[in-house]
Amino acid sequence: MPRPKSMFPCGFGDQPWLIQARGSDKETQMFINPLNGSIEERNISEMHGQLCLSRFEEWLFLVDDLSDDCFLLNINSLTKIDLPPIEEPFSSLGFRILTSSPTSPDCTIIFLGLEENFLLFCHPCDTEWTKLPVDFDVDRVRNMFAYNGNLYVILHDIEIINLASLSTCCVESISMDRPDLSSFGIGSVEHLLESCGDIFFVRTRFPGLPMTTSIVDIEIYKLLDFEDEYIWLRVESIGDRAFLLDQNGGQSFCTQDTQFDKDCVYHILPCYDGERMYKICLEDQTIEFKLLTAEAAQTNSFSYWILTVRRPIQNDELLTSFETIACSEVCQNGCGMVKKDENVGAVYISMPLTNLPMDIVKSISEQLPLKDSVRLRAVCKLWAKQLPDPMKEEPMWLMSCPKKCGTCQMYSPCKGKQFTLNLKGLSSSDVPTRLLFSKDGWILALKGSNLLCLMNPFTNDFHHLPILEDDYSYNGIAFSCPPKNTPNCMVLAIFSPPRGDFTRIIAWHYGQEEWFEMQFDNDLPFSGTDNNPVFFNGEFYCLGRRGNLGVFNPENKEWRVLDKPSPIHLEAPDIGTEHCYLLECDGELISVFRAFNMEYVRVFKLDRSNMAWNLLEDVGDVTLFLDNRTSIARNLPRKSFGNKVFLPRLHDESNETTFYYCMKTGMHNPNFKVFREPYNCVWLEPNFSS
């Protein structure tokens, strides 16, 4: 019997939707349009008192939250398939999965034990559930995925279970390596999914515990069969597809002729303020989110992606590199400028451009995008001398490195303009580059997992550091001065665990061939946080999550946790709920603490005579550029920028507005939650000296 049209929201079936079954708490079900965040309540009698435990395409696995009754429901036709009662207590059950549509002969509903190592399964036609032992630790399971008759269980490695073996009451499995862990973020959520017959592994990274903090990084790998050996290849694009991730797993969706953006990952996550939908754009490596509903913050009612119509997905080639489009070629001859165009032919300007009055040329330059303004100076020596260099005029840049081919984006927060910059030192790299820190125009970056380098994007100077013995995994890193000031240049990385009982440090002096490593037992607790040290008065100062300070002296190689200033917090905030920054401002140390959702921003100045943090009402004419990688305080020529805090968040696709918080009014410019944030960027001051 076809469903009544009024039972479902308008447009349901034309695109992916989110659905939330809320058990006995409410009789209605929640349908969420992910494109605009609109929520519609519907009353579907078949779903009264039910919780959704899993889904596959348009099929839902529902269970009564007051009994052990469970069934499968087709959300399109409302076809119901009863399942045998679950005799195991739900408190003993953990991950679960609906492997395929009930129309498939290998359709299986599977639970894993929560603490006891067992697997509980049934097929739609079974009269009871079957319980089998497994030889892996269920408490280490991170997620499950089913495809082509196999169940993939993500642990430290990946266990592949042959679903057909379950009927023999013997779980047959083999192990496969999962992609290597990256070093960014403390927590992670991992998914496996299928797209066009290929298997993909998606890992999203968090600064703290998953489900409580924001996404800071993402990795996507494709499984390749290379000479009978499976290997994971990291990919940087998923073409015309979108990956839809939720608590239960992931699905692939073709975005053609829809309003969903291609080459994006849409990830549903419960957070402290409710359920969020993160949109991670792989093309420009930005992250944004919208708050869908606050219910998930108080209940266990989570939303699941529903694909009511399976759209065909073209098997286009996945991109593993990023190509820039070459601009039209422009050259100069004795008659003037010639622009080559295959369709129109050569167009000559009768008067040489160099004869234009300089005031007109300057007026043109001011109206051009940055990249064209740079090209205009290259027309002749006179213009190069007379026209201001836009790169040198800008006091601050936000540099992002979206792809691994050496092409970076330079964004001016003062003018709201950006242009592309090619870095020779990264152009030949076949591994991703992560920007970690900047100072005096130089950037400290990580290539791959264990190779650090120093580079100046304004001069294209490039220095490789010795390879790390282990993969990079530290709370923060900094260098004392640019490498031109050798041998004073020192690079230091620090790690302190949340409990704060010890601190591990690695350091390198310019010219040395290897790193030296030290570990110290802390006399006072020092819980590390994701921000970088500050080299101040000959020592590296580090800010802990409670607001206390740790100091490393490079001369005697000693680390100490200061008893003063007293910590800002008596107890460390939950990881990821508060961001803190340490920076130097006019010869003084300043710390900044802001709530994850911008409910507050507090700025403190270190009173060195009394060794105490003093709360500041404002910062005068100073502008603070804050980020976990680099924080900079500067007096800018434009007074309108004074007494403001800028974060690396850009507004919509135009990138013409940077997010800021005004210390005077306590307000921030347009909605904090609608801004996109590049997840591989750093604040940077220009430096044109080698």
Side-chain angles (χ1 to χ4, degrees):
M1 180 178 179
R3 65 187 184 189
K5 291 185 178 180
S6 60
M7 186 176 294
F8 296 92
C10 179
F12 187 77
D14 299 332
Q15 66 175 43
W17 278 72
L18 292 161
I19 188 171
Q20 189 179 110
R22 296 177 284 185
S24 57
D25 291 340
K26 289 188 178 181
E27 289 187 353
T28 58
Q29 296 75 45
M30 184 183 294
F31 289 81
I32 305 173
N33 186 336
L35 295 175
N36 56 25
S38 64
I39 298 176
E40 297 191 37
E41 300 276 348
R42 288 294 186 270
N43 193 330
I44 303 175
S45 60
E46 290 84 352
M47 298 181 67
H48 287 178
Q50 307 298 315
L51 291 175
C52 183
L53 298 187
S54 186
R55 52 97 187 100
F56 185 86
E57 297 178 2
E58 72 271 23
W59 285 93
L60 305 178
F61 173 35
L62 300 172
V63 61
D64 193 304
D65 64 347
L66 299 179
S67 70
D68 56 2
D69 293 334
C70 56
F71 58 92
L72 302 178
L73 180 70
N74 187 304
I75 196 64
N76 271 330
S77 63
L78 298 182
T79 300
K80 183 178 177 181
I81 301 177
D82 288 320
L83 299 174
I86 302 174
E87 296 182 358
E88 294 287 330
F90 273 103
S91 59
S92 68
L93 302 177
F95 282 94
R96 61 271 183 182
I97 187 171
L98 171 62
T99 64
S100 59
S101 169
T103 58
S104 172
D106 61 355
C107 175
T108 312
I109 304 94
I110 298 175
F111 283 96
L112 290 182
L114 187 61
E115 296 179 352
E116 184 182 348
N117 295 336
F118 69 85
L119 178 151
L120 187 71
F121 77 95
C122 82
H123 303 102
C125 58
D126 290 346
T127 58
E128 62 181 2
W129 292 78
T130 302
K131 183 177 180 181
L132 298 177
V134 294
D135 58 0
F136 53 81
D137 293 332
V138 294
D139 58 351
R140 297 184 180 274
V141 173
R142 302 179 65 86
N143 218 325
M144 293 195 300
F145 159 72
Y147 175 64
N148 202 23
N150 290 318
L151 176 68
Y152 297 77
V153 183
I154 304 176
L155 299 124
H156 180 70
D157 53 10
I158 298 175
E159 290 289 324
I160 306 176
I161 298 174
N162 184 342
L163 291 175
S165 71
L166 301 183
S167 299
T168 66
C169 296
C170 179
V171 179
E172 297 178 5
S173 67
I174 60 174
S175 296
M176 177 178 65
D177 292 336
R178 67 175 181 173
D180 294 333
L181 287 169
S182 75
S183 55
F184 305 105
I186 296 174
S188 66
V189 171
E190 297 170 344
H191 290 81
L192 283 165
L193 57 91
E194 175 271 335
S195 181
C196 297
D198 293 315
I199 294 177
F200 292 86
F201 183 99
V202 182
R203 179 188 289 127
T204 45
R205 307 288 291 184
F206 304 84
L209 298 176
M211 318 307 176
T212 61
T213 55
S214 60
I215 295 174
V216 295
D217 197 13
I218 189 169
E219 308 160 47
I220 301 178
Y221 299 84
K222 179 182 177 181
L223 185 63
L224 299 180
D225 186 355
F226 181 73
E227 297 181 353
D228 295 329
E229 181 181 356
Y230 289 110
I231 60 174
W232 292 103
L233 172 68
R234 183 163 181 173
V235 298
E236 297 189 1
S237 172
I238 54 177
D240 288 338
R241 308 163 224 191
F243 286 173
L244 312 176
L245 309 180
D246 56 33
Q247 293 279 84
N248 184 246
Q251 303 178 80
S252 179
F253 174 72
C254 180
T255 61
Q256 291 181 353
D257 302 323
T258 73
Q259 296 183 51
F260 280 77
D261 290 332
K262 67 178 182 178
D263 208 17
C264 290
V265 176
Y266 293 85
H267 197 166
I268 304 300
L269 281 172
C271 198
Y272 69 94
D273 55 355
E275 198 166 43
R276 296 179 174 187
M277 184 184 75
Y278 283 88
K279 175 186 168 186
I280 307 162
C281 179
L282 302 179
E283 174 62 30
D284 59 9
Q285 291 202 342
T286 58
I287 300 176
E288 59 183 294
F289 73 86
K290 63 176 63 174
L291 183 65
L292 299 177
T293 170
E295 282 197 15
Q298 291 82 32
T299 70
N300 291 321
S301 301
F302 301 122
S303 299
Y304 292 93
W305 287 106
I306 296 296
L307 284 178
T308 55
V309 176
R310 256 332 236 191
R311 298 173 56 83
I313 300 179
Q314 294 183 352
N315 194 4
D316 55 342
E317 182 179 356
L318 288 175
L319 302 177
T320 56
S321 63
F322 178 76
E323 297 181 358
T324 55
I325 301 176
C327 298
S328 58
E329 188 176 341
V330 179
C331 63
Q332 179 182 358
N333 66 9
C335 300
M337 297 296 293
V338 182
K339 182 174 182 179
K340 296 180 180 179
D341 191 311
E342 295 179 355
N343 297 321
V344 181
V347 179
Y348 291 85
I349 299 177
S350 58
M351 182 186 70
L353 290 179
T354 52
N355 290 347
L356 283 174
M358 188 52 61
D359 58 341
I360 294 180
V361 177
K362 289 182 178 179
S363 178
I364 294 173
S365 176
E366 292 174 355
Q367 303 301 318
L368 290 175
L370 283 171
K371 61 181 180 181
D372 293 331
S373 182
V374 172
R375 290 171 180 160
L376 191 64
R377 297 181 71 253
V379 169
C380 64
K381 292 182 179 179
L382 176 64
W383 288 10
K385 183 178 180 180
Q386 296 278 343
L387 291 176
D389 188 339
M391 291 287 291
K392 294 182 178 179
E393 279 202 332
E394 295 303 310
M396 191 65 61
W397 295 93
L398 180 64
M399 175 177 166
S400 62
C401 196
K403 300 290 179 179
K404 65 182 182 185
C405 65
T407 301
C408 298
Q409 299 294 326
M410 303 291 290
Y411 173 79
S412 167
C414 297
K415 292 186 176 180
K417 296 182 179 181
Q418 66 178 356
F419 73 102
T420 300
L421 186 69
N422 293 316
L423 299 181
K424 295 179 181 179
L426 301 180
S427 59
S428 60
S429 176
D430 59 352
V431 295
T433 300
R434 175 65 59 171
L435 307 180
L436 300 179
F437 176 73
S438 81
K439 184 176 183 178
D440 297 335
W442 284 79
I443 291 176
L444 185 61
L446 177 69
K447 299 174 66 176
S449 60
N450 61 356
L451 180 59
L452 290 162
C453 59
L454 284 164
M455 58 182 177
N456 185 330
F458 303 99
T459 62
N460 255 321
D461 286 338
F462 200 88
H463 299 272
H464 274 117
L465 278 60
I467 295 178
L468 299 173
E469 291 186 6
D470 301 310
D471 289 349
Y472 178 87
S473 183
Y474 295 89
N475 298 124
I477 191 168
F479 55 83
S480 57
C481 60
K484 64 177 182 177
N485 297 327
T486 57
N488 297 322
C489 177
M490 179 180 181
V491 180
L492 175 137
I494 179 174
F495 170 77
S496 291
R499 61 183 180 273
D501 56 337
F502 73 89
T503 297
R504 185 172 69 248
I505 289 174
I506 61 168
W508 172 80
H509 281 284
Y510 190 89
Q512 292 183 342
E513 296 183 355
E514 60 183 15
W515 294 80
F516 61 90
E517 182 175 343
M518 299 152 287
Q519 184 162 311
F520 305 89
D521 293 328
N522 293 331
D523 295 331
L524 298 171
F526 185 81
S527 179
T529 185
D530 287 330
N531 63 53
N532 285 327
V534 172
F535 189 72
F536 180 73
N537 285 351
E539 296 182 301
F540 287 94
Y541 282 74
C542 306
L543 183 65
R545 282 198 297 130
R546 296 174 58 217
N548 56 337
L549 291 174
V551 183
F552 178 77
N553 188 304
E555 295 294 331
N556 57 28
K557 296 182 174 59
E558 290 185 356
W559 163 261
R560 62 191 190 276
V561 179
L562 305 183
D563 56 350
K564 290 184 178 182
S566 299
I568 301 295
H569 302 291
L570 294 177
E571 299 291 337
D574 291 337
I575 295 176
T577 58
E578 182 181 74
H579 294 273
C580 54
Y581 315 88
L582 185 67
L583 59 159
E584 181 182 356
C585 178
D586 295 332
E588 303 291 344
L589 282 180
I590 284 181
S591 63
V592 183
F593 300 82
R594 74 166 180 88
F596 174 73
N597 59 357
M598 293 301 297
E599 285 186 356
Y600 62 82
V601 176
R602 296 189 293 169
V603 181
F604 296 86
K605 177 181 177 181
L606 181 62
D607 179 355
R608 286 188 286 165
S609 61
N610 297 313
M611 286 303 292
W613 290 118
N614 291 336
L615 181 64
L616 300 179
E617 296 296 331
D618 60 63
V619 291
D621 294 331
V622 174
T623 305
L624 303 182
F625 297 91
L626 301 183
D627 184 56
N628 292 336
R629 290 152 289 229
T630 296
S631 294
I632 301 173
R634 289 294 179 266
N635 282 286
L636 298 183
R638 298 186 181 184
K639 297 301 181 183
S640 60
F641 279 73
N643 208 24
K644 289 185 173 66
V645 175
F646 281 80
L647 297 178
R649 288 176 175 262
L650 308 177
H651 185 51
D652 61 48
E653 299 297 330
S654 66
N655 291 343
E656 294 181 354
T657 306
T658 313
F659 176 87
Y660 67 82
Y661 174 88
C662 180
M663 293 288 294
K664 181 178 180 180
T665 63
M667 305 291 290
H668 48 73
N669 75 334
N671 190 349
F672 172 76
K673 296 182 180 180
V674 302
F675 276 65
R676 300 181 303 118
E677 181 173 357
Y679 55 89
N680 187 17
C681 65
V682 68
W683 292 112
L684 180 67
E685 295 180 285
N687 182 353
F688 290 86
S689 59
S690 300

